Amino acid sequence: MGKIADTIISIEKSKTSKIAQVDFDNLAFGSVYSDHMLVCDYKNGAWEVPKIVPYGPLMLNPSAKIFHYGQSIFEGMKAYKDAKEDIYLFRPLDNHKRFNISAKRMAIPEIPENYFIDGLKALLKLEEQWIPTKEGSSMYIRPFMFASGEGFHASPANEYKFMICLAPSGAYFAGKVKVLIEETYSRSANGGVGYAKAGGNYAGQFYPTQLAIEKGYNQVIWTDDVHHENIEEAGAMNIFIRINDTLITAPTSDRILDGITRKSIIDIALDENIKVEVRTITVSEVVEAAKKGTLKEMFGAGTAAVISPISTFGHRGTDYDLPELENSYASIFKKKITDIQYNKTEDKFGWRVKI
Ligand SMILES: *Cc1c(COP(=O)(O)O)cnc(C)c1O
């Protein structure tokens, strides 16, 4: 399929703009939306040409399968403005690839690369003024796709919508993150959908996370569903553990999401001659290391926060505090990644894409 020129993506401009009401110096994360959105319909066995329309509510039939069977997936990406106000994406083809991996698992038709990438670029160009420039802020991009077709029959829908919405967002400061190692509930299972960014994966985490919050934690660290012995990942972040000077993270599997931040960190670490082990890491190994003082860092990695350092983890009623380090790996990786994203440094990995 050829490139879709901006001219064939029809653009219906909104009559008014909300931009003057937005306080770009005090943006929260993902709670203000730009004036337009991209919509693309799947009907009669094919994707129609995407269109850009004013951001606003959708009309859906109550029998749309999204409401009943949860056929829905999403992605999370960001666009960055550099000092010259040029716009960049970070590894966008990887998001497209993962989107289709998620789609396939949920029996949703895959979206062609040019619809996703060219559609996103056209939307970002139209909304250029909405991309924040303040240090640490960016345009959060939410591509998503769901079953709009009707029917109470539990089977895949025959109609879908692919959409992209944009949310100018401030730096995501999670503060000191206190996590609980979960041993009762599971996020995902062998043969399941944990590797997909499927809506229901996140709904399923809300209740156990609420219980953890009631106990004074911010988030849950998921362990394997069989014995709850192995550290897997957090709600929307992969987990890294530093013991002495070695960086350890779990291998991806059908239970763990293949994070783009995760794989970027692994590449940067190897490039910095930091020892990386991609292997199963058990809860008891982490508890032992904490007791011996060899546990130096734990952090989450994902597009929203880039890196979210963990200050404390709870396990079976005991809290273990992590040391506060100068020049932590977390701070090194965060700087290296964001410098590439914001075009502050050369990008020897070829991750940055100018639009
Ligand atoms: C999105 C997500 C991540 C992080 O992926 P990135 O590509 O780095 O943003 C990790 N785990 C889960 C469960 C996720 O949904």
Side-chain angles (χ1 to χ4, degrees), residues 79-83 85-88 128-133 342:
Y80 312 87
K81 256 186 190 169
D82 72 0
E85 306 227 340
D86 286 329
I87 303 162
Y88 295 91
E128 200 177 334
Q129 296 306 315
W130 281 88
I131 305 176
T133 49
Y342 288 90

Side-chain angles (χ1 to χ4, degrees), residues 98 187 197 202 233-238 257 259-261 301-303:
R98 188 170 67 192
R187 191 191 86 89
K197 274 183 125 66
Y202 303 84
E233 62 167 324
M237 287 194 288
N238 295 108
L257 193 114
I260 294 165
T261 317
T303 296

